[in-house]
Amino acid sequence: NFYKEGLGLFLKQIFYSIAEKELCYDGCPGTILGCLLKPEGSAQSLRMAKFIVREIRDGQDVESISDSIINGFGKGFHSTPFSFKLSDQPFLGNKNAKIVIVEFADFRCGHCALAHLLLTDLLKTQKDKVKLYFKYYPLNNNESSTRLAISAEAAKKQQKFWEMHDILFSNQENLVMKEPIPDEDIYALAQKAGLNIKKFKKDFADPKTREAVLDNKQEGMASEVEGTPSFYISGRPFGFRKTMENFIDRIEMEQERQ
């Protein structure tokens, strides 16, 4: 009865309305509630029930929760994985981890900045289990967003990608106020990241650096990225609301798959 604890009558009704309608997605043809009520139950039905309770408590409505179940437990987890070019991409986490997270993001996107904080906390507890890669996805082909991505790619050539990545997000409030962003502002941030400015300026102006950014964008489009940030876990779309609990759930699901 864990899923009824802490829920008032109205919220319990919401729980039942979802659990008795949505499929369990653990390979059986039943609903979440149907699987829960079986003597043997299933780890997946229990996880999905806890997910519903968590989403209800966080104020999510029935439609949003149902969409997350379909996109996260259903289409996302069971979809055919996309393949990403990662051999030359910097990463955080365990180099031997089997669970790979790929993020597509825009340095001027506020939701991406919030996700950056979330991922920082996630890696504190999950860094031995996962490997996190970052891909550029400048929204709407905005030139300032593209130039910031180019600056991070130029920093990568000096093994300073993550330093520049962090500085760009921490200075986002100032960066979104300027259109276009002056070169001198970007050079100043590169200096903060500890880059060799002479080399940085050369790489920043190199057409091949821009080409690498646009290749990331094309890869995201081919992988059906619709907005930022977008996450793929072991090649499959994340599909859930971007919360710590949901990321941990999905990581555990991938571990069970293996």
Side-chain angles (χ1 to χ4, degrees), residues 216-233:
N216 274 201
K217 177 71 181 279
Q218 288 298 320
E219 194 173 11
M221 293 172 67
S223 305
E224 302 175 3
V225 169
E226 295 181 351
T228 57
S230 284
F231 293 94
Y232 293 79
I233 314 294

Side-chain angles (χ1 to χ4, degrees), residues 188-230:
L189 294 175
Q191 201 149 23
K192 279 187 181 180
L195 293 166
N196 177 310
I197 294 302
K198 183 177 180 180
K199 176 169 172 50
F200 175 81
K201 288 181 178 180
K202 179 182 177 183
D203 292 332
F204 183 69
D206 188 341
K208 290 183 179 179
T209 311
R210 175 182 286 267
E211 184 179 327
V213 169
L214 298 181
D215 281 350
N216 274 201
K217 177 71 181 279
Q218 288 298 320
E219 194 173 11
M221 293 172 67
S223 305
E224 302 175 3
V225 169
E226 295 181 351
T228 57
S230 284

